[in-house]
Amino acid sequence: MAPMTTTTAGGAARDGSSAVDGPADSPFVRACRRQPVPYTPVWFMRQAGRSLPEYREVRAGVPMLESCRRPELVREITLQPVRRHDVDAAILYSDIVVPLAAAGVDLDIVPGTGPVVAEPVGTLDDVARIGPLDPADVSYVDEAVRLLVGELGATPLIGFAGAPFTLASYLVEGGPSRTHARTKALMYGAPEVWHALCARLAEITLTFLRVQVAAGVSAVQLFDSWAGALSEADYRRYAMPHSAAVLGGLADAGVPRIHFGVGTAELLPAMGEAGADVVGVDWRTPLDVASGRIGPHRAVQGNLDPCVLFAPWPVIEAEVRRVLAEGAATPGHVFNLGHGVLPETDPEVLTRVVELIHTASAR
Ligand code: CP3
């Protein structure tokens, strides 16, 4: 593939009037920093993945975790949505459990289910068997990021990791859970084990993100997908200190930190306080309302309901325009879905949504 030019990769000013030097001056990074932008930047969580036929093709016969360990494949899958949709940022193709597997946890990602852990964690002895993560154990991530940064030009690459609470949930439950009952039982019943586990996960996560930052990512996102299972008081007590250790550990990294969760309407201020530059918002809370709760010193990211993409186009268009209008009333807005792209989504609709966002928001 030829190197991407700034005009096709979405990093350049669309009207050609102002030059863009590199990812640090891209609309995406500028919006994260609450600086003026020529148009509202957009990317989609899970933009790389099963909604794309070209993804299904290159993944055929390669197990998920294995695919994350092949830099050439990571490079290809990460670039696929950028080529196709003209999104304003790429997100590294990987998974939140990749650093756990690299730190010695016996786990797999089962298609249609998600991460499954062979020996769920419940005691201090179990915690002692995890990690720490040696950067050399994820050298394939370093290599993939360097390949991508070289190729993406002015288009920023987003690095990411799972937050300690969400990672702990998979480790304690042994797999995905609707209620997080075992997780909460450990949290309330054996807080010393809980905090030891989350402290270890925070270390692993920070190491994993530092590897990505050193290799050149332009922003990082901390996914605390299941934090919305907690009350605000419990979030502040059991989850936030560990996420704050990760985000605080990156305060001097020089890249914006995005902090994302689902069902977090009550947690938004705390998620900002944990050390985020941008707070991800799901579709349940309008962006202007969310921003009012979070305060003027952080940008917001979101928040189209992923299911709206299955609606007739006039409904999609109206919803995109509503999200843009609500986002315009915040100090900084990165357009995204409220959660990841669903595998059944028509990729042509996503491309059309990107075009609409860019034209409708042009200043
Ligand atoms: O495009 C991107 O967003 C980058 C890639 C990415 C993946 N996982 C690839 C993936 C990212 C950012 C993640 C994060 C992730 N992984 C989260 C947080 C985001 C969220 O959705 O809340 C979580 C909770 C996981 C754990 C996980 N991994 C789940 C729940 C699943 C889905 C299982 C299934 O088959 O339905 C995975 C697997 C996974 N991770 C896939 C992809 C593209 C699908 C695997 C496949 O193609 O078979």
Side-chain angles (χ1 to χ4, degrees):
M1 199 194 105
M4 294 197 181
T5 64
T6 49
T7 40
T8 57
R14 263 151 227 288
D15 59 6
S17 59
S18 55
V20 168
D21 303 324
D25 202 31
S26 63
F28 165 76
V29 172
R30 292 182 63 82
C32 288
R33 298 197 185 288
R34 309 185 312 281
Q35 294 166 343
V37 286
Y39 53 87
T40 301
V42 52
W43 68 281
F44 303 113
M45 293 180 276
R46 291 285 175 94
Q47 62 189 18
R50 280 174 294 184
S51 66
L52 299 184
E54 58 270 34
Y55 167 80
R56 298 195 295 266
E57 193 176 312
V58 297
R59 266 294 314 284
V62 188
M64 175 72 200
L65 278 175
E66 172 60 25
S67 70
C68 298
R69 296 177 183 134
R70 296 191 191 172
E72 257 310 314
L73 193 53
V74 169
R75 171 195 154 281
E76 167 59 23
I77 294 175
T78 301
L79 293 176
Q80 284 177 346
V82 183
R83 281 186 206 125
R84 188 191 258 267
H85 301 310
D86 195 23
V87 281
D88 295 284
I91 179 160
L92 179 71
Y93 174 74
S94 187
D95 195 83
I96 58 168
V97 297
V98 162
L100 302 183
V105 178
D106 183 359
L107 60 84
D108 198 7
I109 299 179
V110 177
T113 301
V116 174
V117 178
E119 292 172 45
V121 172
T123 66
L124 283 175
D125 283 347
D126 297 337
V127 175
R129 280 194 288 275
I130 304 171
L133 180 66
D134 180 341
D137 296 333
V138 287
S139 57
Y140 44 84
V141 172
D142 170 82
E143 196 181 330
V145 170
R146 286 176 199 277
L147 278 174
L148 281 160
V149 169
E151 190 146 356
L152 279 163
T155 301
L157 177 65
I158 303 169
F160 75 92
F165 176 81
T166 291
L167 293 176
S169 170
Y170 284 110
L171 291 178
V172 174
E173 305 283 341
S177 165
R178 185 174 287 271
T179 58
H180 306 276
R182 284 171 199 269
T183 309
K184 290 184 183 179
L186 185 74
M187 206 173 80
Y188 296 127
E192 69 292 353
V193 178
W194 172 260
H195 287 296
L197 172 61
C198 288
R200 175 43 56 95
L201 293 172
E203 273 174 52
I204 291 173
T205 296
L206 184 54
T207 301
F208 189 54
L209 288 173
R210 282 206 177 119
V211 165
Q212 297 174 53
V213 170
V217 298
S218 294
V220 292
Q221 176 155 324
L222 190 64
F223 281 94
D224 208 351
S225 303
W226 312 139
L230 297 173
S231 67
E232 188 196 347
D234 285 348
Y235 176 78
R236 286 184 179 275
R237 187 163 172 186
Y238 295 107
M240 183 176 163
H242 304 291
S243 294
V246 176
L247 293 167
L250 292 168
D252 58 359
V255 298
R257 298 156 296 171
I258 309 169
H259 196 184
F260 168 79
V262 184
T264 54
E266 301 302 320
L267 309 182
L268 292 170
M271 289 182 72
E273 286 167 41
D277 301 294
V278 184
V279 178
V281 181
D282 80 9
W283 60 89
R284 294 172 181 90
T285 313
L287 289 177
D288 49 347
V289 174
S291 182
R293 291 181 193 171
I294 294 161
H297 303 299
R298 305 180 209 282
V300 291
Q301 175 175 278
N303 71 345
L304 187 72
D305 185 335
C307 293
V308 163
L309 300 170
F310 302 114
W313 178 253
V315 177
I316 299 175
E317 175 164 3
E319 284 295 287
V320 168
R321 289 184 186 278
R322 177 182 61 78
V323 171
L324 281 174
E326 289 163 1
T330 72
H333 177 209
V334 174
F335 202 108
N336 207 312
L337 305 179
H339 200 177
V341 173
L342 293 164
E344 307 79 19
T345 306
D346 177 353
E348 289 181 17
V349 171
L350 283 173
T351 307
R352 207 172 161 192
V353 164
V354 173
E355 275 170 26
L356 173 62
I357 292 162
H358 286 157
T359 51
S361 68
R363 326 266 199 261

